[in-house]
Amino acid sequence: MNTNMLRTDANFAGQIPALYDRLLVPMLFEPYAADIAQRAAALGPSRVLETAAGTGAVTRALARALPANVEIVATDLNQAMLDRAAMTPIERPVTWRQANALQLPFDDASFDVVICQFGAMFFPDKTAAFAQAHRVLRAGGAMIFNVWERIEENEFADTVTATLGRLFPDDPPLFMKRTPHGYFDSEAISRDLASAGFDAAPRIETITQRSRASSAHEAAIAYCQGTPLRNEIESRAGATLDEATSTCAEAIAARFGSGAIDGKIQAHVITVQR
């Protein structure tokens, strides 16, 4: 993958953060946020770092799941996402900080747990990011992160990607398959963690949930306009963003129905000890 493509795939700016937060968070991220926060709480940490925090779905779940004395530091590469996250009140102190997961601005051995929900797929150098998590973890601490399973196991994303492939046959927008659903191989993940310095074998669990939306149109807006897929659609000739969104909505409705819909989503949850 070229550097420019990596930069585009990680570009959550403009109108994307608001749509992402309003539509994608409840559709995709909240069920897994509750799961990963409970896993963190079970470890009894005193200081937790979240990387790739996005608009704060996991941060809010951590705030609910962890005792009040536990310090939470939430970081993201994109300040626009953190700005959106900070708009939702949290009933306890949280430190929001813009930071690159590949160059964490924290001392060695300064956290008990590092959390990363659906962010590892975006890291241009996975091993470097895992090495940074390893560095800031105290001995006996743990990194907990999740990644999406292959796109065929995630029905809305698969439908949208296939539909856009037919709409733009000469240059299909493959953001969803390439990045969010591009880092699912358990052996590759284990190798990257070992290369980053994690000696213990990771525990990898596959968790299936349901993704729900009030309509096919809402789901299409979420994917086509609330993710960097939007950048790919807008850069192509042949259909406008609104036309592409409408075409995807029709395809989702044809597969899942015209009213409230739900589809399968699936992810791996990985826990590895320092």
Side-chain angles (χ1 to χ4, degrees):
M1 199 186 308
N2 65 49
T3 303
N4 188 56
M5 192 173 285
L6 283 166
R7 203 161 34 240
T8 302
D9 283 359
N11 183 17
F12 288 80
Q15 293 180 290
I16 292 174
L19 288 169
Y20 175 103
D21 193 41
R22 182 168 62 86
L23 300 178
L24 274 174
V25 166
M27 271 179 55
L28 295 179
F29 300 124
E30 282 181 350
Y32 288 99
D35 172 81
I36 206 167
Q38 290 300 325
R39 292 169 188 267
L43 298 177
S46 61
R47 193 167 190 241
V48 174
L49 171 66
E50 184 186 358
T51 61
T55 59
V58 171
T59 321
R60 293 187 287 273
L62 288 168
R64 291 188 293 268
L66 294 169
N69 63 317
V70 179
E71 183 181 354
I72 301 171
V73 180
T75 67
D76 196 272
L77 180 64
N78 290 282
Q79 185 62 46
M81 296 291 269
L82 294 176
D83 291 344
R84 178 71 190 191
M87 290 171 62
T88 303
I90 297 180
E91 298 302 316
R92 63 184 290 166
V94 169
T95 300
W96 301 101
R97 184 162 178 182
Q98 192 276 334
N100 186 340
L102 277 67
Q103 298 172 306
L104 291 174
F106 303 109
D107 292 338
D108 295 357
S110 55
F111 293 92
D112 303 299
V113 175
V114 174
I115 298 286
C116 182
Q117 167 142 295
F118 300 124
M121 310 90 68
F122 292 89
F123 298 151
D125 186 336
K126 274 73 168 171
T127 299
F130 295 154
Q132 283 289 296
H134 184 273
R135 179 184 66 78
V136 302
L137 277 170
R138 295 170 180 144
M143 182 180 189
I144 311 172
F145 66 103
N146 49 22
V147 295
W148 291 116
E149 173 64 284
R150 67 185 74 239
I151 198 167
E152 292 82 4
E153 301 294 342
N154 290 269
E155 293 176 336
F156 292 166
D158 192 35
T159 301
V160 167
T161 299
T163 302
L164 292 174
R166 293 189 294 270
L167 191 61
F168 301 98
D170 296 333
D171 190 12
L174 294 174
F175 164 74
M176 295 305 302
K177 184 173 185 177
R178 180 178 62 246
T179 300
H181 298 279
Y183 189 56
F184 54 81
D185 183 85
S186 297
E187 291 184 5
I189 293 167
S190 297
R191 283 196 304 271
D192 289 344
L193 287 167
S195 297
F198 286 97
D199 297 325
R203 185 171 76 250
I204 302 177
E205 301 173 62
T206 302
I207 307 292
T208 304
Q209 302 270 15
R210 303 299 292 181
S211 178
R212 294 178 172 84
S214 63
S215 68
H217 184 62
E218 182 177 277
I221 291 175
Y223 280 95
C224 294
Q225 301 186 22
T227 76
L229 182 57
R230 179 192 190 114
N231 306 325
E232 284 197 307
I233 295 169
E234 290 184 321
S235 71
R236 284 158 172 74
T240 66
L241 179 63
D242 286 342
E243 288 166 349
T245 303
S246 294
T247 302
C248 288
E250 291 168 7
I252 294 169
R255 183 173 177 183
F256 300 98
S258 56
I261 57 171
D262 70 279
K264 175 187 176 184
I265 47 175
Q266 191 162 291
H268 297 312
V269 183
I270 302 100
T271 306
V272 61
Q273 193 164 17
R274 167 78 159 85

